[in-house]
Amino acid sequence: MRIDRLELDFFRNYVHLDAVFDPSVNVIYGDNAQGKTNLLEAVAYLSGLSHRARYDRELIQFGVDHAFLKGQVFSRERDFVLEAELHRGARRVLRSNGVKLKNFAEMAGTFQSVLFCPEDLYLIREGAAARRKYLDDCICQLRPRYAQALSEYKRLHEHKTRILRDSEEKPSLLDTLDEFSLSMAKAGAVLIHYRAHFIKRLRQAAPAIHGDFSGGRERLNLRYETVSTVTDPEASPKDIFPQLLAHQESHRAAEIASRQCLSGPHKDDLVVEIDGQSAKSFASQGQTRTAALSLKLAAREIFQQDTGEYPVLLLDDVLSELDPRRQEFVLNRITGGQVFITCCEDDRLPAMLGGKVLQVRGGKLV
Ligand code: ATP
Ligand code: MG
């Protein structure tokens, strides 16, 4: 899988960009605040990832009312032209080979990328939401059914939260509560099933990478933490469903009293341990970085096993903070697919990496 060409109009600090990429290594090189991360963000966006912006309007250039992205992509032995039109105050329009797509998930089904950026340290350090997002992003790209269940679940969760919140003033709202719990348990069972299977595969891939990365000194362990009544998260959604429903029923009174959704996979976590200790609480800076990178590179390997192709790997600001041994390790691990790596002008990395060097300055290729 690869992106051969990218065109941007009014995306972040790019007024206009037309870039042709190398099928293997692309080094995005430049001073701070010139547009390196923005370029990676544009590629990630075309693969259905929106990691930095909470709203599309943040991606549109200041003072302009629309932005346009176009990527020529080679995926599953076929050429695709992916386009995204962003407007302030209107819904985005996505197209693949000129045909309108229903949603972001459809685009993610065509073109896949794995991104590693400095914010990914939160993946280890922060609360469970960051790790759920990692799981959701990975599985959505692999399984359209998961993406569907996830957006359904999120919609129901929001709605049920509103019902619980407003029920004090309007108790009749609670009449619909059980119906929402039932639908949430249905969608939730699908989420748990797919998360459990993905984590099973992560457990095969990530510890080996982390082990190599740390020169065999550290042992990474991953564990899925979900709703306590679920006896086997890998079971079929049909079998998980009644167990989820039972948990919701036993929390019904507490949910009404606290006016919050207390039961369901929106509280799931992927527990990361290094040498038996919780990474969230105890990992050092370097261990945190290593563990986060191992999770990302493991996801890339799982994609490859699944689809026969490596997703495009986007590495933002990774190498410059690693010691030479770890840099070399990363460089050895990323061969095979197309890679984009950003680095600053004072780095000696471009020479080390080979491939195509694209220098950006002030939102332009130099
Ligand atoms: P660093 O080396 O510091 O990570 P970078 O090259 O990755 O720098 P980017 O994050 O790509 O820098 O940002 C480049 C510039 O784009 C920043 O100065 C930022 O203020 C600007 N920028 C961000 N969003 C927009 C926007 N919507 N419109 C115009 N400019 C923007
Ligand atoms: Mg940057």
Side-chain angles (χ1 to χ4, degrees), residues 190-222:
V190 176
L191 299 189
I192 291 175
H193 168 83
Y194 280 104
R195 284 178 181 172
H197 279 270
F198 184 76
I199 290 169
K200 186 178 165 189
R201 298 179 67 184
L202 265 185
R203 296 175 68 161
Q204 287 156 3
I209 298 175
H210 188 99
D212 282 358
F213 213 143
S214 62
R217 283 195 302 269
E218 290 168 16
R219 201 168 35 83
L220 184 77
N221 185 41
L222 303 171

Side-chain angles (χ1 to χ4, degrees), residues 52 238 256:
R52 226 168 32 147
K238 198 165 81 3
I256 294 172

Side-chain angles (χ1 to χ4, degrees), residues 12-13 31-38 52 58-62 317 344:
R12 297 274 196 194
N13 70 334
D31 276 335
N32 292 135
Q34 301 306 308
K36 301 184 297 295
T37 300
N38 293 347
R52 226 168 32 147
E58 295 168 28
L59 304 172
I60 303 173
Q61 190 156 101
F62 304 142
D317 259 350
C344 277

